[in-house]
Amino acid sequence: MDSVVTSPMAVPTLFDPLCEHVEQRWYGPVVLWSHEQRRSGSVRVVPDLCQDLVWGPSGPSVVSRTVEVQYLAFDTGAHTVGMRLPVGASLRALPEGWSASDWGHCRDVEAAHDALGSAVETGAITWSVNGLAQRFLQSADQPYARIPQIAHALGMSERSLRRCCWQWFQVSPVRVVRILRWWRFLSLLVSGPAAEAAAVAGYADQAHAWREVRALTGYRVGELARLHLAE
């Protein structure tokens, strides 16, 4: 398998500890995660280019690649377990009965983790990683990445790159760059001043970072301080 850009977070990528409890564990290149809702309401899932298998109160499902903000509603005490694939990876095979909801509802988190992990070990869950897509992600995940330079480095025209990017991620190359840049900014924001984080991440200035974060996630930068990252 080609080297992959690993998923930065589990679902929900950002969470409020007063309302939710999140745990995750790495299982090879994928993340097994669990989510417990402490208070009824909606969970905001921010874009990170990943695809998930989700096993929750409503049964099993597949969540499409996260390229824009999504809102998931949960009741108090609801438990959800999932598997997050590496960034850019695409599902190839699902466990028998998954699509038909034969797995039923998720009631035991540990048992669900074991079942999903076993499905990976036995090859019941498989995914593919496009080598060219990974090269694009590695180039795009650089401060001040520019599409013309990325296309040239990959040996293709900008038009071809746009077409391929829509096939891989269902969004434009520019949006991929924006999503990756916001994640760099968030990781830097945890350990340093906001202005410095914005500059190192590749934003023109602090105001540019503020606008982008709000546009991509719906959060103000100041709101991020009370949220936790799933680690």
Side-chain angles (χ1 to χ4, degrees), residues 4-42:
V4 298
V5 177
T6 56
S7 170
M9 300 292 152
V11 167
T13 46
L14 300 170
F15 69 99
D16 185 340
L18 297 177
C19 301
E20 309 157 66
H21 176 69
V22 172
E23 293 184 359
Q24 71 174 25
R25 65 185 72 167
W26 286 96
Y27 201 95
V30 302
V31 176
L32 295 180
W33 53 265
S34 61
H35 169 270
E36 178 186 0
Q37 190 69 14
R38 293 174 170 170
R39 187 184 304 166
S40 294
S42 296

Side-chain angles (χ1 to χ4, degrees), residues 48-218:
D48 65 359
L49 305 173
C50 293
Q51 193 174 32
D52 290 85
L53 276 71
V54 177
W55 191 6
S58 300
S61 62
V62 177
V63 176
S64 60
R65 199 176 308 284
T66 311
V67 295
E68 58 186 18
V69 174
Q70 299 181 31
Y71 293 89
L72 307 177
F74 290 102
D75 294 327
T76 301
H79 286 84
T80 303
V81 173
M83 174 178 290
R84 169 144 287 198
L85 300 182
V87 174
S90 300
L91 280 166
R92 294 179 60 187
L94 290 167
E96 185 177 355
W98 183 274
S99 297
S101 299
D102 291 347
W103 281 46
H105 307 305
C106 176
R107 294 185 175 87
D108 186 305
V109 170
E110 286 302 318
H113 271 163
D114 291 343
L116 288 175
S118 177
V120 173
E121 283 187 335
T122 60
I125 297 175
T126 60
W127 60 90
S128 61
V129 178
N130 183 290
L132 186 58
Q134 289 300 308
R135 288 175 55 199
F136 164 69
L137 285 171
Q138 290 161 0
S139 297
D141 193 19
Q142 302 296 324
Y144 307 103
R146 296 292 181 267
I147 301 305
Q149 287 75 14
I150 294 174
H152 179 75
L154 296 177
M156 56 174 41
S157 66
E158 291 182 55
R159 182 176 181 180
S160 294
L161 178 58
R162 285 194 296 271
R163 183 173 61 251
C164 288
C165 204
W166 277 101
Q167 293 174 349
W168 298 329
F169 310 112
Q170 294 80 57
V171 291
S172 69
V174 170
R175 187 164 182 86
V176 172
V177 168
R178 291 174 63 199
I179 291 172
L180 294 175
R181 181 173 55 195
W182 121 256
W183 277 110
R184 285 198 307 276
F185 172 68
L186 182 60
S187 64
L188 292 164
L189 188 64
V190 172
S191 57
E196 180 179 336
V200 175
Y203 290 107
D205 52 33
Q206 190 169 314
H208 181 204
W210 265 228
R211 291 193 303 271
E212 281 285 275
V213 168
R214 187 67 186 273
L216 287 170
T217 71

